[in-house]
Amino acid sequence: MMRLILGLIALVLLFQAPVRAEDLVFYPLEDEALERVNAFRAALGQVERAPCLRAWESLPALELSEPLNQAAREFLRRAVAEQSFNHVLPDGSSPLARVRAQGYEPLLVGESLAYLGFENYLPPEEALSVVLDWLLGQALLQETPEAAPFVFPAYRHFGLAMAGVTISIEGQTYNFYLFCFVLAVPAQEDFPFTIGRLYDDRDQDGVATPEEGLAGVKVVFEPLEGEGKMETCTLSDGTFFLPVGAPGLLRFEVSSEGLSFPRLRLVSPSPVFVQAPTPRVWSNLTNAGQI
């Protein structure tokens, strides 16, 4: 019987013997992955979803981006070389920085990391299907921040790197597939919208990682003139999307209890004023206009 080890970023690469970046074998399955993700986004309204997704019957199709593919491949090479399977690498490199290094200027970047370990042989196509089954199921439930990018409405572009490597764990040899999915909103996006990420910057590094996201927070937008009040809530990585670009007031219904350094990254084509609870706690609030 084949034994599978399926996981998210907790791998921390489990390496007990040196593994070199040149040992990675990449599998070009980006088109297959994109087709599966787009079918999932198109059929969102046909399945039971977590409350923060129920406003959406379908989500826009994503387009494949070679710069995002390259950013994902570079992450896997560096993750193996530096033995750190985390969104922020030891030198402080974040998904945003890695995407920009490939010449793609984003408003927002989402990254999802996963791995699949197995004994004997597992075809790469089957491994991709297993991982997507898991991630997309988690996305519907909003139970892990790694899955949130797949259901974020504003993303327009998609990239993937999938690589195989052999790893020794406590004297036992395992074959692993490593995955890095990258989704992004391009800086030149011109539709009316307000998007952001609400997170608790516990390590105070100014970088919003998925696990720091504040999930399920009610977000209310009230235009400064006329009607058009809108409500949504943050996904499991703290992201939120409002299809409105008029000046207005943004209010978060969140308790400050238990928060260390809450921050907001916000993008809007029009001025947006933020009403935040407990000014002392929210002294690190950032409304820079660009993520």
Side-chain angles (χ1 to χ4, degrees), residues 19-76:
V19 179
R20 302 171 303 172
E22 52 265 34
D23 294 332
L24 288 174
V25 177
F26 285 90
Y27 298 92
L29 296 177
E30 298 89 351
D31 289 323
E32 290 86 341
L34 179 62
E35 182 178 358
R36 173 74 185 280
V37 171
N38 277 339
F40 167 81
R41 287 167 65 93
L44 191 64
Q46 302 174 19
V47 293
E48 183 65 25
R49 294 150 287 162
C52 288
L53 297 175
R54 289 178 186 160
W56 306 97
E57 290 299 311
S58 65
L59 300 177
L62 303 167
E63 296 179 7
L64 195 63
S65 166
E66 186 55 31
L68 298 189
N69 289 338
Q70 291 288 356
R73 293 181 200 124
E74 181 62 19
F75 168 80
L76 290 186

Side-chain angles (χ1 to χ4, degrees), residues 19-277:
V19 179
R20 302 171 303 172
E22 52 265 34
D23 294 332
L24 288 174
V25 177
F26 285 90
Y27 298 92
L29 296 177
E30 298 89 351
D31 289 323
E32 290 86 341
L34 179 62
E35 182 178 358
R36 173 74 185 280
V37 171
N38 277 339
F40 167 81
R41 287 167 65 93
L44 191 64
Q46 302 174 19
V47 293
E48 183 65 25
R49 294 150 287 162
C52 288
L53 297 175
R54 289 178 186 160
W56 306 97
E57 290 299 311
S58 65
L59 300 177
L62 303 167
E63 296 179 7
L64 195 63
S65 166
E66 186 55 31
L68 298 189
N69 289 338
Q70 291 288 356
R73 293 181 200 124
E74 181 62 19
F75 168 80
L76 290 186
R77 292 189 188 100
R78 292 185 58 189
V80 166
E82 301 174 26
Q83 299 189 25
S84 177
F85 201 62
N86 289 291
H87 293 286
V88 179
L89 291 171
D91 68 351
S93 168
S94 66
L96 184 67
R98 293 191 289 271
V99 165
R100 283 177 170 162
Q102 299 300 325
Y104 184 110
E105 187 59 34
L107 285 178
L108 184 68
V109 174
E111 183 180 76
S112 179
L113 307 178
Y115 67 88
L116 181 64
F118 56 97
E119 298 173 336
N120 302 320
Y121 176 70
L122 183 67
E125 296 82 2
E126 185 176 340
L128 176 64
S129 180
V130 168
V131 167
L132 283 177
D133 282 347
W134 191 35
L135 283 171
L136 299 181
Q138 293 290 313
L140 289 175
L141 299 173
Q142 284 297 290
E143 290 186 341
T144 170
E146 293 300 311
F150 297 101
V151 288
F152 190 60
Y155 286 135
R156 293 294 178 263
H157 293 138
F158 173 91
L160 165 67
M162 173 182 175
V165 67
T166 299
I167 300 175
S168 177
I169 304 175
E170 297 181 351
Q172 175 68 49
T173 298
Y174 291 91
N175 300 303
F176 273 83
Y177 287 117
L178 308 179
F179 299 83
C180 177
F181 300 87
V182 183
L183 295 88
V185 184
Q188 63 272 24
E189 192 69 67
D190 57 2
F191 66 91
F193 61 90
T194 295
I195 60 176
R197 175 173 276 142
L198 188 64
Y199 67 106
D200 192 12
D201 191 26
R202 293 181 292 272
D203 55 10
Q204 300 184 55
D205 64 353
V207 178
T209 56
E211 60 270 19
E212 292 177 327
L214 298 176
V217 174
K218 186 176 180 180
V219 183
V220 180
F221 179 88
E222 299 182 43
L224 295 183
E225 296 182 359
E227 300 180 352
K229 178 179 177 180
M230 300 189 69
E231 295 183 1
T232 187
C233 57
T234 58
L235 300 181
S236 51
D237 63 349
T239 51
F240 63 90
F241 172 83
L242 291 161
V244 61
L249 173 67
L250 200 61
R251 186 173 74 253
F252 298 96
E253 296 187 7
V254 57
S255 170
S256 61
E257 184 177 352
L259 298 181
S260 301
F261 296 93
R263 291 180 183 265
L264 169 68
R265 300 294 187 194
L266 184 68
V267 177
S268 176
S270 299
V272 173
F273 300 91
V274 178
Q275 179 180 342

